[in-house]
Amino acid sequence: MVNFAVNIFAMNKCDQCIVRQLSSLKALNKEEVIKLANSKTTHKIKKGEAIFEEGEVTNGVFCVKDGVGKLSKLSANGKDQIIKLVKSGELLGQRSMISNEPANLSAKAIADMEVCFIPKSEIIHFFNNNNQFSLNLMQSVCEDLKESENDKIALVQKTVKQRLAETLLHLHDAFGENADKTLKVQLTREELAGMIGTATESCIRLLSDFNKLELIELVGKKIVLKDIKALKRLSEQL
């Protein structure tokens, strides 16, 4: 009786979790949610700490319950280039788990995070026994690949100035702003430069230009978007 009560409590926590509501896990039935709750482990990740490293065998997927992280790759010159920012509701490690390969990216916290780890054995069980879950999982992997392709196209077709405007808008729309209007997610100038594919010095100059044009306001290391409409026009310029 005690075990049953614990299972129901755990199931309710997983059932109401934002990760399940927004990811392929939403296809799981009640029995599968109980199985998920009993197999997962929850971890607190401090800012700057790694969830997993490039080349590591993860043996499962990570659910981002809270906080913000970055998926990055070490470039040939030793710089850590951000490929994608992740927030609550996302799953990490799906592609490498399905392909049975080591992680090709590193995942690190850029703000304190809470993540849950689900072992590969459980995910494969759901994959083999729940058609909707397996379809959702494959669609999610395909969406990630599509996003990666779009980023490559943007790198070729858009100027650095356009990419900076687009990235600032993405940070605003996806992660919001603080009470003082500064962007909630604050990247270092080096991280921002890596995201738009330019040198740190060039990124700093462009931010200064945007500040002079009153598109943004630089408040120390923080950024306020002052003219969102103008930034959007700039990002879409032909």
Side-chain angles (χ1 to χ4, degrees), residues 42-226:
T42 303
H43 306 270
K44 301 281 189 179
I45 312 294
K46 294 292 185 183
K47 179 180 179 179
E49 291 181 348
I51 302 171
F52 56 82
E53 298 279 5
E54 184 178 345
E56 184 180 332
V57 178
T58 57
N59 286 320
V61 298
F62 294 86
C63 311
V64 181
K65 188 176 180 182
D66 192 30
V68 181
K70 63 178 181 179
L71 293 175
S72 61
K73 193 168 186 66
L74 203 62
S75 63
N77 59 9
K79 290 188 176 180
D80 196 37
Q81 183 170 348
I82 296 178
I83 306 300
K84 181 184 178 181
L85 296 177
V86 294
K87 58 181 179 177
S88 58
E90 298 193 54
L91 297 180
L92 307 178
Q94 302 173 88
R95 191 204 62 79
S96 56
M97 186 202 67
I98 292 172
S99 63
N100 204 29
E101 296 174 344
N104 69 327
L105 300 173
S106 295
K108 295 181 181 179
I110 58 175
D112 289 353
M113 299 178 73
E114 184 176 352
V115 302
C116 295
F117 175 74
I118 308 172
K120 180 178 179 177
S121 58
E122 300 302 326
I123 296 293
I124 295 300
H125 173 80
F126 299 149
F127 192 90
N128 290 334
N129 293 278
N130 185 321
N131 290 337
Q132 190 58 54
F133 171 79
S134 57
L135 178 61
N136 288 354
L137 188 64
M138 295 308 296
Q139 285 176 336
S140 177
V141 172
C142 289
E143 285 169 7
D144 286 344
L145 290 172
K146 181 181 178 182
E147 186 177 333
S148 178
E149 289 172 356
N150 289 339
D151 289 342
K152 288 180 181 177
I153 292 170
L155 200 60
V156 174
Q157 295 183 344
K158 294 195 172 186
T159 65
V160 178
K161 188 180 291 186
Q162 288 175 301
R163 296 199 298 272
L164 177 57
E166 190 173 58
T167 299
L168 292 174
L169 289 169
H170 171 68
L171 292 175
H172 179 272
D173 295 344
F175 301 98
E177 57 185 30
N178 298 307
D180 61 358
K181 301 296 184 181
T182 58
L183 292 175
K184 188 166 284 186
V185 171
Q186 297 292 337
L187 302 177
T188 66
R189 299 302 188 250
E190 187 175 8
E191 288 173 332
L192 193 54
M195 282 195 75
I196 64 175
T198 191
T200 305
E201 295 76 12
S202 297
C203 180
I204 292 171
R205 282 196 298 271
L206 279 175
L207 288 172
S208 179
D209 290 343
F210 280 17
N211 186 59
K212 290 173 184 175
L213 293 169
E214 298 190 345
L215 299 176
I216 65 172
E217 181 182 354
L218 299 176
V219 185
K221 293 183 178 181
K222 297 183 177 182
I223 300 173
V224 177
L225 303 194
K226 292 186 68 177

Side-chain angles (χ1 to χ4, degrees), residues 14-15 17-23 25-29 33:
C14 285
D15 192 52
C17 179
I18 188 172
V19 183
R20 180 168 184 262
Q21 295 168 26
L22 298 179
S23 71
L25 298 176
K26 63 188 174 187
L28 301 183
N29 59 40
V33 173

